Amino acid sequence: MRRPAVPRGGGGRHRGLRRLAVAAAVLAVALLGVLAGVVAGGNVGTDIGPFHARLSVSPATSGGTTVDIPPLGSLLLKSHDGPTHLTVELGALDQSRVEALIDDPASLNRATQSATDEVREGVMRLGLRTVGSSVLATLVLALLVFRNTRRAAWAGALALLITAGSLGTAAATIRPQSIEEPRYEGLLVNAPAIVGDVRKIADDYTRYAEQLQRLIGNVTQLYTTVSALPVYEPEPGTTRVLHISDLHLNPSAWQLIRTVTEQFGIDAVIDTGDITDWGSEPEASYVGSISLLEKPYVYIRGNHDSPRTAAAVARQPNAIVLDNTTATVAGLTIAGIGDPRFTPDKSTSPASGGLNPPTANELITNGETLAATVRSSPRPVNIALVHDPAAAGPLSGTCPLVLAGHTHDRQVNTLPEVPGQQTTTLMVQGSTGGAGLRGLEQEEPTPLAMTVLYFDQEKRLQAYDDITVGGTGQAQVNLERTVIAPPPTSPLGATPAPTNAPAPTLSPTPTPTR
């Protein structure tokens, strides 16, 4: 039996439909391959200034760029059009590169200029990697689906055209001025106010960077100044402790701490908290300078420090983190407890006002917890550490000395005495970091403060040197020594007040070099 003849027109339509179906299948495979390639290979790691960053591209309908600064939030930029979205995620700081910027202020300008080239190079590598990954993924997928080299080649060509066209559209419509009009998400919603502060800060910091070297030179003269003071001569067995607090991410603080540690022969460093501002992961690299001190570093957490910050400090080989615990360092038994709060925002700065009743109760309870630990210690505690001096009250009579910070205002007081118990002195440190960015928000910058404590062989405080370095934009260094008079032999047992012996103020004149 003969089959009925098929009209020529019907056969042509059949072949046309088949070709259209094949073309649609090739296009679908190309699109799937592009998506798979972008997901698998559309990302690169690069260095931008002192940051380790990751750049990635993803399909989108409106383009744009997102700059992620975890965990603070994101900046959204209308940087370009087209079906691609760029994401820049800033990761950890490179400690060596940060220190290089600190040690050489001129390198900051070079880093700013090179950052643009680093971003451009990173984006170029991202584009090439994305194109290559998309084409390769499409070829593999097409060979698996069609098992036909010709169709796989057509799919690969389409993938190249789609990817290159999308990236080309983004490059052709780029708007550099978009960086000036970002949209903020997360904690960065306050960024417009912060940027306003930073513009003022930048002016002051430029002036500060120019004077930083002479400032450090003046600090090196402190040791000579101390030697000229005849009122107190430390005995050979004297233990020297450097009390610092509230660094608030100020990079120049580490230089000062290192200089004083070397010049004064410091045996141990005590930090009463707020080493960071937000307690975030990118800030954790800031604490890496602790290991450079090569001295025992005793630390308690402040209200701006997160548990993650404390963990980063604990990873330093010379660090000891106390949290309702005790440790013996340089012959001194030290007890400390971290601040019970974690409030990393500007409204919690000391200038914002006093304590409310719930917070005060929380701090008092914190002090009572540490006081119980001090009383149960198998060895008499020489020094107790709290971040906020509001927590120090319950420690009265438990130990001779309590160190605190938080207020950015140096003070020395005697806690209300407990009948039948020893007298306890409370020493509140100023901000060793000049209150960080907060120190630049006032008309007069907050000075950098630290104190050298001298303990005799019986671990009794004999004297202390208050060191004050002019805040940002200033280069004055001042030292004031306080000698604690020995207790009288009177049966009443009254202890006379300490005597102050101010040292000459070091002038901000440049130090000659040889």
Side-chain angles (χ1 to χ4, degrees):
M1 179 179 296
R2 297 179 59 186
R3 293 182 180 179
V6 178
R8 290 188 177 182
R13 286 195 298 270
H14 180 71
R15 287 192 297 272
L17 291 174
R18 187 171 180 275
R19 290 175 181 175
L20 184 61
V22 171
V26 169
L27 178 60
V29 168
L31 291 174
L32 289 174
V34 168
L35 290 176
V38 169
V39 171
N43 58 85
V44 295
T46 187
D47 291 331
I48 301 178
F51 285 96
H52 294 303
R54 177 152 293 277
L55 280 61
S56 60
V57 66
S58 59
T61 57
S62 58
T65 298
T66 298
V67 181
D68 286 330
I69 311 176
L72 303 181
S74 304
L75 281 72
L76 306 182
L77 311 176
K78 295 182 178 180
S79 57
H80 62 272
D81 298 325
T84 56
H85 185 87
L86 175 65
T87 299
V88 180
E89 182 175 355
L90 297 181
L93 288 167
D94 186 316
Q95 185 68 24
S96 60
R97 300 184 74 176
V98 172
E99 291 183 356
L101 294 178
I102 296 171
D103 294 335
D104 182 12
S107 65
L108 185 61
N109 294 330
R110 293 194 297 270
T112 302
Q113 297 170 0
S114 63
T116 302
D117 296 333
E118 291 168 345
V119 171
R120 183 182 297 109
E121 180 187 354
V123 171
M124 289 293 295
R125 287 195 295 114
L126 175 64
L128 293 175
R129 180 184 174 91
T130 302
V131 171
S133 178
S134 299
V135 173
L136 179 60
T138 301
L139 289 174
V140 172
L141 182 60
L143 288 172
L144 292 174
V145 173
F146 300 119
R147 301 184 183 276
N148 182 293
T149 305
R150 184 178 180 183
R151 293 177 183 177
W154 276 108
L158 279 174
L160 176 62
L161 181 63
I162 293 170
T163 309
S166 299
L167 296 177
T169 301
T173 58
I174 191 168
R175 290 185 289 270
Q177 68 275 14
S178 64
I179 191 66
E180 300 176 1
E181 300 176 350
R183 184 163 61 89
Y184 303 93
E185 289 185 349
L187 294 176
L188 291 179
V189 292
N190 294 322
I194 296 174
V195 169
D197 294 339
V198 169
R199 287 174 180 168
K200 177 181 179 297
I201 289 168
D203 295 337
D204 292 337
Y205 199 85
T206 300
R207 194 160 40 125
Y208 178 49
E210 295 172 353
Q211 300 185 34
L212 183 58
Q213 294 302 320
R214 71 178 66 173
L215 182 149
I216 299 300
N218 280 331
V219 174
T220 61
Q221 299 176 35
L222 282 174
Y223 185 74
T224 304
T225 304
V226 172
S227 301
L229 295 175
V231 291
Y232 173 66
E233 188 67 29
E235 299 178 358
T238 296
T239 302
R240 296 168 172 84
V241 174
L242 179 62
H243 179 204
I244 62 176
S245 189
D246 297 81
L247 273 68
H248 286 293
L249 293 176
N250 188 339
S252 63
W254 288 123
Q255 288 183 301
L256 298 175
I257 294 169
R258 286 199 295 267
T259 300
V260 172
T261 298
E262 295 171 0
Q263 295 290 341
F264 282 74
I266 297 300
D267 298 300
V269 179
I270 291 178
D271 183 349
T272 47
D274 277 1
I275 195 171
T276 61
D277 255 344
W278 297 86
S280 63
E281 180 65 28
E283 293 174 292
S285 59
Y286 173 78
V287 309
S289 293
I290 291 175
S291 62
L292 301 179
L293 300 178
E294 299 181 348
K295 299 291 182 181
Y297 191 96
V298 183
Y299 162 86
I300 61 170
R301 191 180 66 255
N303 63 293
H304 284 262
D305 301 329
S306 66
R308 181 178 294 176
T309 302
V313 174
R315 287 194 293 270
Q316 306 307 309
N318 57 323
I320 300 169
V321 177
L322 298 179
D323 196 5
N324 198 30
T325 53
T326 62
T328 299
V329 180
L332 293 162
T333 300
I334 306 171
I337 191 169
D339 197 280
R341 304 161 296 176
F342 178 51
T343 49
D345 56 84
K346 297 180 71 173
S347 65
T348 61
S349 62
S352 65
L355 294 172
N356 55 40
T359 301
N361 292 335
E362 186 179 19
L363 291 171
I364 291 172
T365 301
N366 196 51
E368 292 172 345
T369 301
L370 181 60
T373 299
V374 172
R375 293 189 185 96
S376 63
S377 172
R379 300 184 59 175
V381 171
N382 305 113
I383 307 173
L385 311 179
V386 293
H387 176 64
D388 194 321
L395 293 162
S396 180
T398 64
C399 60
L401 179 63
V402 177
L403 302 182
H406 182 67
T407 64
H408 303 173
D409 183 18
R410 178 190 282 146
Q411 293 183 1
V412 179
N413 300 302
T414 300
L415 292 176
E417 294 191 17
V418 177
Q421 301 295 327
Q422 61 183 316
T423 300
T424 300
T425 301
L426 171 63
M427 301 184 70
V428 182
Q429 187 58 272
S431 174
T432 308
L437 294 181
R438 296 170 183 79
L440 301 173
E441 295 173 349
Q442 304 173 1
E443 294 183 2
E444 291 295 328
T446 303
L448 282 65
M450 59 188 73
T451 300
V452 179
L453 308 171
Y454 298 90
F455 295 88
D456 63 13
Q457 294 185 5
E458 284 73 34
K459 307 310 175 187
R460 294 174 300 193
L461 183 64
Q462 298 296 299
Y464 55 90
D465 294 334
D466 286 329
I467 300 171
T468 306
V469 178
T472 302
Q474 301 178 5
Q476 186 181 51
V477 180
N478 187 67
L479 175 101
E480 182 176 350
R481 167 163 291 170
T482 300
V483 178
I484 299 176
T489 57
S490 169
L492 296 178
T495 302
T499 58
N500 290 340
T505 300
L506 300 180
S507 64
T509 55
T511 303
T513 58
R514 294 183 179 180

